Short mmCIF file of all heavy atoms in Angstrom, two decimals:
data_model
loop_
_atom_site.label_atom_id
_atom_site.label_comp_id
_atom_site.label_asym_id
_atom_site.label_seq_id
_atom_site.Cartn_x
_atom_site.Cartn_y
_atom_site.Cartn_z
N MET A 1006 13.30 30.54 -1.24
CA MET A 1006 14.55 30.84 -0.54
C MET A 1006 15.08 29.59 0.16
O MET A 1006 14.34 28.65 0.44
CB MET A 1006 14.33 31.93 0.50
CG MET A 1006 13.76 33.23 -0.05
SD MET A 1006 15.03 34.36 -0.62
CE MET A 1006 15.50 35.13 0.93
N ALA A 1007 16.37 29.62 0.45
CA ALA A 1007 16.97 28.61 1.32
C ALA A 1007 16.76 29.08 2.75
O ALA A 1007 17.40 30.02 3.20
CB ALA A 1007 18.45 28.46 1.02
N ILE A 1008 15.81 28.45 3.46
CA ILE A 1008 15.52 28.90 4.81
C ILE A 1008 16.48 28.29 5.83
O ILE A 1008 16.44 28.64 7.00
CB ILE A 1008 14.06 28.60 5.20
CG1 ILE A 1008 13.76 27.11 5.15
CG2 ILE A 1008 13.10 29.37 4.30
CD1 ILE A 1008 12.37 26.75 5.65
N ALA A 1009 17.34 27.39 5.38
CA ALA A 1009 18.42 26.86 6.21
C ALA A 1009 19.51 26.32 5.29
O ALA A 1009 19.21 25.79 4.22
CB ALA A 1009 17.93 25.77 7.16
N HIS A 1010 20.76 26.48 5.70
CA HIS A 1010 21.89 25.98 4.90
C HIS A 1010 23.00 25.56 5.85
O HIS A 1010 23.28 26.23 6.85
CB HIS A 1010 22.42 27.05 3.96
CG HIS A 1010 23.75 26.71 3.36
ND1 HIS A 1010 23.88 25.85 2.28
CD2 HIS A 1010 25.02 27.06 3.73
CE1 HIS A 1010 25.16 25.71 2.00
NE2 HIS A 1010 25.87 26.43 2.86
N LYS A 1011 23.66 24.45 5.52
CA LYS A 1011 24.84 24.01 6.26
C LYS A 1011 25.95 23.66 5.30
O LYS A 1011 25.73 22.95 4.31
CB LYS A 1011 24.54 22.80 7.14
CG LYS A 1011 25.72 22.43 8.05
CD LYS A 1011 25.54 21.09 8.70
CE LYS A 1011 25.85 19.94 7.78
NZ LYS A 1011 27.31 19.83 7.48
N ASP A 1012 27.14 24.16 5.57
CA ASP A 1012 28.30 23.82 4.76
C ASP A 1012 28.89 22.48 5.19
O ASP A 1012 28.76 22.07 6.35
CB ASP A 1012 29.39 24.90 4.91
CG ASP A 1012 29.01 26.19 4.22
OD1 ASP A 1012 28.44 26.14 3.13
OD2 ASP A 1012 29.30 27.26 4.78
N ALA A 1013 29.55 21.82 4.28
CA ALA A 1013 30.34 20.64 4.64
C ALA A 1013 31.43 21.08 5.60
O ALA A 1013 31.93 22.21 5.54
CB ALA A 1013 30.95 20.02 3.39
N GLY A 1014 31.80 20.20 6.52
CA GLY A 1014 32.81 20.55 7.51
C GLY A 1014 32.23 21.18 8.77
O GLY A 1014 32.97 21.53 9.68
N LEU A 1015 30.89 21.31 8.82
CA LEU A 1015 30.22 21.86 10.00
C LEU A 1015 29.23 20.83 10.54
O LEU A 1015 28.77 19.95 9.82
CB LEU A 1015 29.46 23.14 9.65
CG LEU A 1015 30.28 24.33 9.17
CD1 LEU A 1015 29.36 25.51 8.86
CD2 LEU A 1015 31.34 24.73 10.19
N PHE A 1016 28.90 20.96 11.82
CA PHE A 1016 27.87 20.12 12.42
C PHE A 1016 26.50 20.69 12.07
O PHE A 1016 26.36 21.89 11.77
CB PHE A 1016 28.03 20.06 13.94
CG PHE A 1016 29.35 19.49 14.39
CD1 PHE A 1016 30.16 20.19 15.27
CD2 PHE A 1016 29.78 18.25 13.93
CE1 PHE A 1016 31.37 19.67 15.69
CE2 PHE A 1016 30.99 17.72 14.34
CZ PHE A 1016 31.80 18.44 15.22
N ASP A 1017 25.46 19.87 12.12
CA ASP A 1017 24.11 20.34 11.82
C ASP A 1017 23.70 21.49 12.74
O ASP A 1017 22.94 22.38 12.33
CB ASP A 1017 23.10 19.20 11.96
CG ASP A 1017 23.15 18.24 10.78
OD1 ASP A 1017 23.89 18.52 9.82
OD2 ASP A 1017 22.46 17.20 10.82
N SER A 1018 24.18 21.48 13.97
CA SER A 1018 23.84 22.55 14.92
C SER A 1018 24.40 23.90 14.50
O SER A 1018 24.02 24.93 15.05
CB SER A 1018 24.35 22.19 16.32
OG SER A 1018 25.76 22.02 16.31
N GLU A 1019 25.33 23.91 13.54
CA GLU A 1019 25.95 25.14 13.09
C GLU A 1019 25.32 25.67 11.80
O GLU A 1019 25.86 26.57 11.17
CB GLU A 1019 27.45 24.93 12.87
CG GLU A 1019 28.20 24.50 14.11
CD GLU A 1019 29.65 24.16 13.85
OE1 GLU A 1019 29.91 23.07 13.30
OE2 GLU A 1019 30.53 24.99 14.17
N ALA A 1020 24.18 25.13 11.42
CA ALA A 1020 23.52 25.56 10.18
C ALA A 1020 23.09 27.02 10.27
O ALA A 1020 22.75 27.54 11.34
CB ALA A 1020 22.31 24.68 9.90
N GLN A 1021 23.10 27.68 9.11
CA GLN A 1021 22.60 29.05 9.01
C GLN A 1021 21.08 28.98 8.85
O GLN A 1021 20.58 28.25 8.01
CB GLN A 1021 23.21 29.75 7.80
CG GLN A 1021 24.73 29.79 7.78
CD GLN A 1021 25.26 30.27 6.43
OE1 GLN A 1021 24.58 30.99 5.71
NE2 GLN A 1021 26.47 29.86 6.11
N THR A 1022 20.36 29.77 9.62
CA THR A 1022 18.90 29.69 9.58
C THR A 1022 18.24 31.01 9.16
O THR A 1022 17.03 31.13 9.21
CB THR A 1022 18.34 29.26 10.94
OG1 THR A 1022 18.82 30.16 11.96
CG2 THR A 1022 18.78 27.84 11.28
N VAL A 1023 19.03 31.99 8.74
CA VAL A 1023 18.47 33.22 8.19
C VAL A 1023 18.20 32.98 6.71
O VAL A 1023 19.13 32.65 5.96
CB VAL A 1023 19.43 34.41 8.37
CG1 VAL A 1023 18.85 35.66 7.69
CG2 VAL A 1023 19.69 34.67 9.84
N PRO A 1024 16.94 33.09 6.24
CA PRO A 1024 16.64 32.81 4.83
C PRO A 1024 17.48 33.66 3.88
O PRO A 1024 17.66 34.86 4.11
CB PRO A 1024 15.15 33.15 4.72
CG PRO A 1024 14.62 32.97 6.10
CD PRO A 1024 15.72 33.43 7.01
N GLN A 1025 17.99 33.01 2.83
CA GLN A 1025 18.80 33.69 1.82
C GLN A 1025 18.47 33.10 0.46
O GLN A 1025 17.93 31.99 0.36
CB GLN A 1025 20.30 33.52 2.12
CG GLN A 1025 20.76 34.10 3.45
CD GLN A 1025 20.66 35.62 3.53
OE1 GLN A 1025 20.43 36.28 2.51
NE2 GLN A 1025 20.82 36.16 4.73
N PRO A 1026 18.80 33.79 -0.64
CA PRO A 1026 18.56 33.23 -1.97
C PRO A 1026 19.28 31.89 -2.12
O PRO A 1026 20.39 31.72 -1.63
CB PRO A 1026 19.15 34.28 -2.92
CG PRO A 1026 19.11 35.55 -2.14
CD PRO A 1026 19.37 35.15 -0.72
N PRO A 1027 18.66 30.92 -2.77
CA PRO A 1027 19.29 29.60 -2.90
C PRO A 1027 20.58 29.67 -3.69
O PRO A 1027 20.69 30.40 -4.68
CB PRO A 1027 18.23 28.79 -3.65
CG PRO A 1027 17.43 29.80 -4.39
CD PRO A 1027 17.38 31.00 -3.50
N GLY A 1028 21.57 28.92 -3.23
CA GLY A 1028 22.83 28.81 -3.95
C GLY A 1028 23.88 29.84 -3.60
O GLY A 1028 25.07 29.62 -3.84
N PHE A 1029 23.49 30.97 -3.05
CA PHE A 1029 24.47 32.02 -2.75
C PHE A 1029 25.50 31.55 -1.72
O PHE A 1029 26.63 32.02 -1.71
CB PHE A 1029 23.76 33.27 -2.25
CG PHE A 1029 23.26 34.17 -3.34
CD1 PHE A 1029 22.44 33.69 -4.35
CD2 PHE A 1029 23.61 35.51 -3.37
CE1 PHE A 1029 21.97 34.51 -5.35
CE2 PHE A 1029 23.15 36.36 -4.38
CZ PHE A 1029 22.32 35.86 -5.38
N ALA A 1030 25.10 30.64 -0.85
CA ALA A 1030 26.02 30.17 0.18
C ALA A 1030 27.18 29.38 -0.39
O ALA A 1030 28.19 29.18 0.28
CB ALA A 1030 25.26 29.30 1.19
N TYR A 1031 27.06 28.93 -1.66
CA TYR A 1031 28.13 28.14 -2.28
C TYR A 1031 29.13 29.02 -3.04
O TYR A 1031 30.12 28.51 -3.56
CB TYR A 1031 27.53 27.11 -3.24
CG TYR A 1031 26.73 26.05 -2.53
CD1 TYR A 1031 25.37 26.20 -2.31
CD2 TYR A 1031 27.35 24.90 -2.05
CE1 TYR A 1031 24.63 25.24 -1.63
CE2 TYR A 1031 26.62 23.92 -1.38
CZ TYR A 1031 25.27 24.10 -1.17
OH TYR A 1031 24.55 23.14 -0.50
N VAL A 1032 28.86 30.31 -3.12
CA VAL A 1032 29.71 31.22 -3.89
C VAL A 1032 30.86 31.71 -3.03
O VAL A 1032 30.67 32.07 -1.86
CB VAL A 1032 28.88 32.41 -4.41
CG1 VAL A 1032 29.77 33.39 -5.17
CG2 VAL A 1032 27.74 31.91 -5.30
N ALA A 1033 32.05 31.74 -3.59
CA ALA A 1033 33.23 32.22 -2.87
C ALA A 1033 33.24 33.75 -2.84
O ALA A 1033 32.68 34.40 -3.73
CB ALA A 1033 34.50 31.71 -3.53
#
């Protein structure tokens, strides 16, 4: 799983830390 993810345009402190399947965060 992706145990942390950060989108471009955000600061590192704004990363998501709830584990999710890898890659899903890039889907619109």
Side-chain angles (χ1 to χ4, degrees):
M1006 303 273 277
I1008 60 174
H1010 166 81
K1011 187 192 79 71
D1012 288 321
L1015 297 180
F1016 300 126
D1017 283 355
S1018 60
E1019 299 174 284
Q1021 303 169 26
T1022 56
V1023 176
Q1025 299 294 349
F1029 276 54
Y1031 293 91
V1032 178

